[in-house]
Amino acid sequence: MAFCFAFYLLIIKLSLASADIPTTSNEACIDGATVVLSFGLYQSSCPEAEPIIFSWIEKAVSEDPRMAASLLRLHFHDCFGCDASVLLDDTPNFIGEKTAAPNLNSLRGFEVIDYIKNDLEFVCPETVSCADILAIAARDSVVLSGGLGWEVQMGRKDSLSASKVSANNNIPGPNSDVATLAAKFQNVGLTLDDMVTLSGAHTLGKARCSTFSSRLNGNSNADTDPNVNLDFIQSLQQLCAESNANTTIADLDHKTPMMFDNQYYINLLSGEGLLASDQVLVTGDEGTRELVESYVDDPVNFLEEFKKSMLRMGSLLPVTGENAEIRRNCRLTNKFTS
């Protein structure tokens, strides 16, 4: 593993050098407090942190290739806050975000984060936050799926609370139109271009029939294009008609489902976006369609821009002060752990 991780670090350094990504720390002022995210934060305090995380992600993805998409999704759903709130379990006196509509029966990979946290607490107690683990795990999942690496900014703290209401309201749904998608991203400081770029994460992963049912019955805004791909829609109708729509899953990218590449955008131009919120990127707005077309024409540019958007997303709204800690157990705040 040591050789693999050393080679992987070299790839990340070369990727970082080739992109227009700042290598200095990033400061944000939240409620009067300065939050500093920086590169290489754990090199002195816990040099084993990134190798441990990479080892567990490599193991998880080798055993279940779908896990790469799941861990990337975990970071995204957490990062309309980036505070590990999505990892908190419900308790008799606390309702977390796991049962929010965008998360229920959708998010997975919590056990992988548990394994990582247990190892890190043994080696470097109360040093590496759960929120940073999610950010690093997302990067490693992309790398292990063939995408480019990037150096992750670290220094996030873990929240003491969660908001099911915010998760329901802030995370874009699978039937969103372009205006809704853009508004939800812009509400947290991400641009329209970031939205289209981060949607490219759907080059990995799967979705349940129930999440794209609007495409099956022609009730989706995505299908306003007169050149809708009827063969693709019929194949989905057949898949979902033969089984339980709540459990049957389809690839978000049916061409290269385990490879982090630009095939997702190629599929959109062919009318083969699985979710309505995917297909509207080419049918609902000329600006988003132009960016999709540019990523089809230049796959390397997509990979480079994805790195930058992930860094921007990863620095969103960190928690501070009395509302933050480094959890000993990612599922519970420290007052509930011994």
Side-chain angles (χ1 to χ4, degrees), residues 224-240:
T224 57
D225 187 341
N227 298 315
V228 62
N229 190 325
L230 293 178
D231 289 340
F232 178 67
I233 298 299
Q234 288 169 1
S235 71
L236 295 178
Q237 290 171 334
Q238 181 177 356
L239 171 71
C240 297

Side-chain angles (χ1 to χ4, degrees), residues 178 192-193 195-197 265-266 268-269 278-298 301-302 305:
V178 171
L192 185 70
D193 283 4
M195 182 270 287
V196 176
T197 302
Y265 298 106
I266 298 171
L268 297 186
L269 293 183
D278 293 325
Q279 196 60 45
V280 293
L281 298 184
V282 297
T283 61
D285 184 274
E286 283 299 319
T288 58
R289 184 183 179 97
E290 287 177 4
L291 187 55
V292 168
E293 291 172 342
S294 75
Y295 287 157
V296 170
D297 293 339
D298 191 344
N301 185 48
F302 159 61
E305 292 303 316

Side-chain angles (χ1 to χ4, degrees), residues 239-262:
L239 171 71
C240 297
E242 294 175 350
S243 52
N244 188 332
N246 290 320
T247 57
T248 301
I249 53 179
D251 291 317
L252 287 160
D253 167 10
H254 70 104
K255 296 288 182 63
T256 58
M258 301 301 174
M259 180 64 65
F260 196 92
D261 56 20
N262 73 328

Side-chain angles (χ1 to χ4, degrees), residues 7-81:
F7 179 68
Y8 148 84
L9 284 180
L10 176 60
I11 292 174
I12 290 174
K13 289 178 180 178
L14 291 174
S15 299
L16 188 66
S18 67
D20 184 21
I21 297 175
T23 56
T24 57
S25 58
N26 177 35
E27 295 188 4
C29 188
I30 309 294
D31 295 332
T34 299
V35 180
V36 179
L37 298 182
S38 59
F39 298 111
L41 179 66
Y42 301 117
Q43 287 180 357
S44 297
S45 60
C46 189
E48 302 93 337
E50 289 192 74
I52 286 172
I53 296 171
F54 180 75
S55 179
W56 274 111
I57 304 305
E58 185 177 40
K59 180 178 186 295
V61 172
S62 67
E63 293 175 352
D64 177 8
R66 184 184 166 201
M67 190 56 68
S70 297
L71 294 171
L72 181 56
R73 185 177 177 83
L74 261 184
H75 179 50
F76 175 81
H77 278 230
D78 183 53
C79 253
F80 278 56

Side-chain angles (χ1 to χ4, degrees), residues 6-263:
F7 179 68
Y8 148 84
L9 284 180
L10 176 60
I11 292 174
I12 290 174
K13 289 178 180 178
L14 291 174
S15 299
L16 188 66
S18 67
D20 184 21
I21 297 175
T23 56
T24 57
S25 58
N26 177 35
E27 295 188 4
C29 188
I30 309 294
D31 295 332
T34 299
V35 180
V36 179
L37 298 182
S38 59
F39 298 111
L41 179 66
Y42 301 117
Q43 287 180 357
S44 297
S45 60
C46 189
E48 302 93 337
E50 289 192 74
I52 286 172
I53 296 171
F54 180 75
S55 179
W56 274 111
I57 304 305
E58 185 177 40
K59 180 178 186 295
V61 172
S62 67
E63 293 175 352
D64 177 8
R66 184 184 166 201
M67 190 56 68
S70 297
L71 294 171
L72 181 56
R73 185 177 177 83
L74 261 184
H75 179 50
F76 175 81
H77 278 230
D78 183 53
C79 253
F80 278 56
C82 285
D83 57 3
S85 58
V86 75
L87 300 178
L88 290 171
D89 282 343
D90 288 359
T91 71
N93 301 311
F94 173 81
I95 298 176
E97 298 171 6
K98 291 180 177 178
T99 56
N103 300 335
L104 185 64
N105 297 321
S106 173
L107 295 185
R108 58 198 293 270
F110 298 106
E111 295 80 6
V112 178
I113 303 302
D114 292 339
Y115 296 141
I116 293 169
K117 186 59 175 173
N118 287 341
D119 268 7
L120 290 176
E121 285 301 297
F122 179 78
V123 175
C124 325
E126 297 183 56
T127 302
V128 183
S129 70
C130 300
D132 278 351
I133 292 172
L134 286 177
I136 297 167
R139 186 270 312 277
D140 291 353
S141 296
V142 170
V143 171
L144 289 165
S145 302
L148 296 179
W150 61 91
E151 193 171 356
V152 176
Q153 288 180 303
M154 305 169 197
R156 301 165 189 81
K157 295 295 179 64
D158 302 322
S159 69
L160 303 180
S161 63
S163 174
K164 183 176 179 179
V165 171
S166 293
N168 279 324
N169 292 337
N170 295 340
I171 298 173
N175 294 310
S176 300
D177 57 20
V178 171
T180 301
L181 291 169
K184 288 184 181 292
F185 276 75
Q186 289 169 357
N187 284 344
V188 295
L190 295 171
T191 67
L192 185 70
D193 283 4
D194 286 323
M195 182 270 287
V196 176
T197 302
L198 291 170
S199 295
H202 284 179
T203 190
L204 301 175
K206 298 175 182 286
R208 297 173 188 269
C209 287
S210 55
T211 64
F212 55 88
S213 59
S214 65
R215 294 218 67 200
L216 306 183
N217 55 35
N219 292 333
S220 164
N221 290 330
D223 299 320
T224 57
D225 187 341
N227 298 315
V228 62
N229 190 325
L230 293 178
D231 289 340
F232 178 67
I233 298 299
Q234 288 169 1
S235 71
L236 295 178
Q237 290 171 334
Q238 181 177 356
L239 171 71
C240 297
E242 294 175 350
S243 52
N244 188 332
N246 290 320
T247 57
T248 301
I249 53 179
D251 291 317
L252 287 160
D253 167 10
H254 70 104
K255 296 288 182 63
T256 58
M258 301 301 174
M259 180 64 65
F260 196 92
D261 56 20
N262 73 328
Q263 184 64 47

